[in-house]
Amino acid sequence: MGLLFEFFFSFLVLFAVLTFIIYNFSRYREPLGFDIENMWQVNISWNEVPKEDQLVYQKIFKEQLKNYPQIEHFSFSNHNTPYGHTVHINGLKYENNEVAVHLFQVDEEFQKVYRVETTAGRWFEAPDMVNTKKVAVINRKLSEQLFGEDNPIGKNLEYGEEPVSVVGLVDHYKYQGEFSTTENQMFISTAPDYVFGKILLRLRPGTGASFESKLIKELSQLAKGTILEVSYLDNMRKDVLLEIWLPMIIFIVISGFLILNVAMGLFGVLWQNINIRKAEIGVRRAMGATQGDISWQFIGEVMVLATLAMAIGAFFAIQFPLLDVFGLPPMIYLLAIGAATLVIYSLVVICAFFPSRQAAQLHPAMALHEE
């Protein structure tokens, strides 16, 4: 009975851990949609600088950044940039359909900096940034939700009380990292008087940290009262990935200890069972049972016990996709159930093989004599 409970509990723990791992692995395999190699992010704290001065400083920054040969491309953006732990969600309407979207207010250079590919239409252009009517680039998920299979280019959306015209389409932009899910997203052009909070820099290969101090010093001198701070995108990415990898590693270690405990218990039970049943083994061997018959008898008995425990565990596990507990795709749960079953069966065969093999090698006369 104790072994039955251990198999049942191990199956449920493995199911939970494998669901978490498989789900994250499936998200990790999806395209990221942008490139962060040689990317820096300059965070701007405007503090008490008046808005009219902020706009002047932005123009000064743009002119100054053009003078650095180390900078391949630069762009200005709002605060929800890749790996930045910030989210900007707004409502969006199309006819009678209203949805929530992750909103990105960026300039016309954003695509060049992050190398975001448009799969239909185009990105913003300089005239769009001074046009009274806003234009937008949306992702495929939002397009399918609003327009189905129809071409989204040229469609008009309602953002607040402003009309927005769709000019481009992107497939992927997982700005919250490789392990994030794809949400409804819209990149929208900004008004000429919009104040940004980030400067995004794509540096030429080989640009070192010495350029950072030079850049911040010279930009700060041009904009009194502001605080500028550089973040490296590769470091930000590592921090975000660690938030997922660390729990997975902890869960895997815990599962490993649990499996080790079950394996030790299984070894002990089998050895005790063999010692108790030596007479039975001797009689079966004397009646012509082969070593393989004896070995598979003990393995089969444990397999039956494990199957019963996992059948009970699978009953509880299957409730998760049926009840849509966490909103995950049903296939994730089914794969986790299958993987947990495979691990338990593998554990049974590995742990039962050596003791059953030893039992099969007992000589009939020796086994009966000891009894």
Side-chain angles (χ1 to χ4, degrees):
M1 192 66 181
L3 197 58
L4 179 70
F5 177 77
E6 286 186 11
F7 281 137
F8 169 74
F9 184 70
S10 299
F11 177 83
L12 290 183
V13 171
L14 283 171
F15 166 72
V17 172
L18 289 170
T19 297
F20 181 68
I21 292 174
I22 293 172
Y23 175 57
N24 281 293
F25 179 71
S26 67
R27 292 189 297 177
Y28 189 87
R29 292 182 60 194
E30 295 175 352
L32 192 60
F34 59 91
D35 178 21
I36 65 166
E37 186 179 7
N38 299 317
M39 282 288 301
W40 291 3
Q41 177 177 284
V42 180
N43 307 305
I44 308 173
S45 297
W46 293 109
N47 295 327
E48 301 300 324
V49 177
K51 183 175 181 179
E52 56 270 20
D53 290 342
Q54 294 177 20
L55 293 171
V56 172
Y57 290 156
Q58 272 190 176
K59 293 179 181 179
I60 294 174
F61 286 160
K62 288 182 180 180
E63 293 303 316
Q64 180 65 20
L65 291 170
K66 295 176 183 178
N67 298 327
Y68 296 113
Q70 297 91 337
I71 298 176
E72 185 175 308
H73 295 292
F74 66 89
S75 173
F76 286 76
S77 174
N78 62 351
H79 292 282
N80 53 327
T81 50
Y83 305 107
H85 292 94
T86 55
V87 176
H88 185 185
I89 300 177
N90 271 77
L92 186 70
K93 290 183 181 180
Y94 175 69
E95 296 179 346
N96 295 323
N97 194 0
E98 184 172 359
V99 297
V101 297
H102 289 240
L103 188 70
F104 309 95
Q105 293 166 295
V106 298
D107 65 11
E108 71 277 14
E109 298 295 321
F110 183 87
Q111 182 188 29
K112 295 178 182 177
V113 174
Y114 273 112
R115 297 175 179 170
V116 180
E117 294 186 6
T118 52
T119 53
R122 62 175 178 84
W123 195 261
F124 309 146
E125 297 173 354
D128 297 322
M129 309 308 292
V130 296
N131 199 333
T132 55
K133 184 176 181 179
K134 293 182 179 297
V135 297
V137 176
I138 64 175
N139 71 334
R140 186 168 298 278
K141 181 176 181 179
L142 177 59
S143 175
E144 292 175 350
Q145 185 169 349
L146 292 179
F147 314 119
E149 297 298 323
D150 293 345
N151 184 2
I153 307 303
K155 301 285 188 182
N156 292 315
L157 309 174
E158 294 180 45
Y159 170 58
E161 298 181 356
E162 297 182 273
V164 179
S165 178
V166 178
V167 297
L169 179 72
V170 299
D171 281 342
H172 302 281
Y173 179 67
K174 296 173 59 176
Y175 75 105
Q176 293 175 306
E178 285 83 348
F179 289 112
S180 64
T181 57
T182 300
E183 307 291 347
N184 293 328
Q185 297 172 338
M186 180 173 73
F187 302 86
I188 191 170
S189 61
T190 56
D193 62 346
Y194 185 83
V195 177
F196 294 99
K198 308 280 185 182
I199 305 175
L200 312 173
L201 306 176
R202 177 167 293 280
L203 285 303
R204 299 190 185 280
T207 302
S210 59
F211 176 64
E212 176 187 342
S213 58
K214 170 184 170 65
L215 175 69
I216 295 302
K217 179 181 179 181
E218 294 181 357
L219 291 183
S220 298
Q221 290 174 347
L222 296 173
K224 302 298 182 181
T226 62
I227 298 176
L228 306 178
E229 181 183 6
V230 172
S231 298
Y232 296 85
L233 265 293
D234 55 349
N235 291 339
M236 296 170 64
R237 175 180 179 269
K238 290 175 184 177
D239 292 339
V240 170
L241 292 181
L242 185 61
E243 294 176 1
I244 301 297
W245 279 116
L246 187 58
M248 279 202 290
I249 292 172
I250 292 174
F251 290 154
I252 291 172
V253 170
I254 293 174
S255 300
F257 277 114
L258 176 64
I259 291 173
L260 179 62
N261 184 64
V262 173
M264 293 176 64
L266 182 57
F267 266 118
V269 169
L270 283 172
W271 279 119
Q272 183 181 19
N273 199 14
I274 290 169
N275 288 328
I276 293 175
R277 297 168 62 183
K278 282 185 177 180
E280 176 190 336
I281 296 171
V283 171
R284 290 204 62 200
R285 292 283 284 124
M287 295 179 65
T290 65
Q291 291 185 356
D293 294 334
I294 300 298
S295 180
W296 279 108
Q297 176 188 351
F298 284 96
I299 294 176
E301 289 175 357
V302 183
M303 292 274 282
V304 169
L305 189 65
T307 300
L308 177 61
M310 288 189 291
I312 300 172
F315 171 79
F316 291 99
I318 203 67
Q319 304 307 311
F320 285 82
L322 292 178
L323 300 176
D324 195 21
V325 177
F326 295 112
L328 304 183
M331 184 55 65
I332 299 294
Y333 294 113
L334 296 179
L335 288 174
I337 291 173
T341 302
L342 182 62
V343 171
I344 295 295
Y345 276 141
S346 300
L347 177 68
V348 168
V349 172
I350 293 172
C351 293
F353 179 78
F354 184 72
S356 63
R357 192 68 179 166
Q358 291 293 103
Q361 291 176 352
L362 286 174
H363 193 277
M366 292 295 297
L368 293 172
H369 176 73
E370 290 183 15
E371 290 296 318

